[in-house]
Amino acid sequence: MVSGAARTNNKVEGWNRRFSSLIGADHPSLWKFIDKLREEQSYNEFRLHQAAAGIPPPPKRIKYRDLDARLANTVSKFGIPLADYLNEVACNIVFNV
């Protein structure tokens, strides 16, 4: 978080969900898997070419951008007493029930 790295592995989880929906089956045949893997490779090459051409990736959702800013602010205050620090971290957690 301090170095600007991702907070979680959501990008990997997102890719896994995308690829699973692309395949459309829990146990695809080897040939279907290879075909969909090629499609995914083409898509990733397309995205890389877009990035090389200077086309920016889609922006983060506002709620996640704001959460990142709040957490970065909290992490920068790490020297405060532990109870206060944990209270600030807890104030940034929102449960969607």
Side-chain angles (χ1 to χ4, degrees):
M1 181 78 222
V2 175
S3 65
R7 290 181 288 118
T8 66
N9 62 349
N10 282 343
K11 291 186 188 268
V12 175
E13 291 171 7
W15 178 85
N16 187 39
R17 178 168 165 69
R18 173 183 148 64
F19 192 66
S20 294
S21 67
L22 182 68
I23 290 179
D26 290 335
H27 304 287
S29 68
L30 177 62
W31 299 113
K32 183 174 183 177
F33 175 75
I34 290 172
D35 184 47
K36 296 303 179 181
L37 201 56
R38 286 180 178 156
E39 284 181 33
E40 182 67 13
Q41 177 66 27
S42 295
Y43 174 75
N44 285 321
E45 287 177 6
F46 170 74
R47 294 292 304 260
L48 286 172
H49 287 298
Q50 282 187 321
I55 299 171
K60 261 188 182 180
R61 291 184 181 174
I62 293 173
K63 69 179 185 177
Y64 296 121
R65 194 174 54 223
D66 292 347
L67 176 62
D68 286 346
R70 287 194 316 268
L71 286 174
N73 184 37
T74 300
V75 168
S76 70
K77 298 178 183 177
F78 187 67
I80 64 176
L82 183 60
D84 294 338
Y85 180 75
L86 293 175
N87 187 39
E88 286 200 29
V89 170
C91 288
N92 285 301
I93 297 174
V94 176
F95 293 103
N96 295 326
V97 181

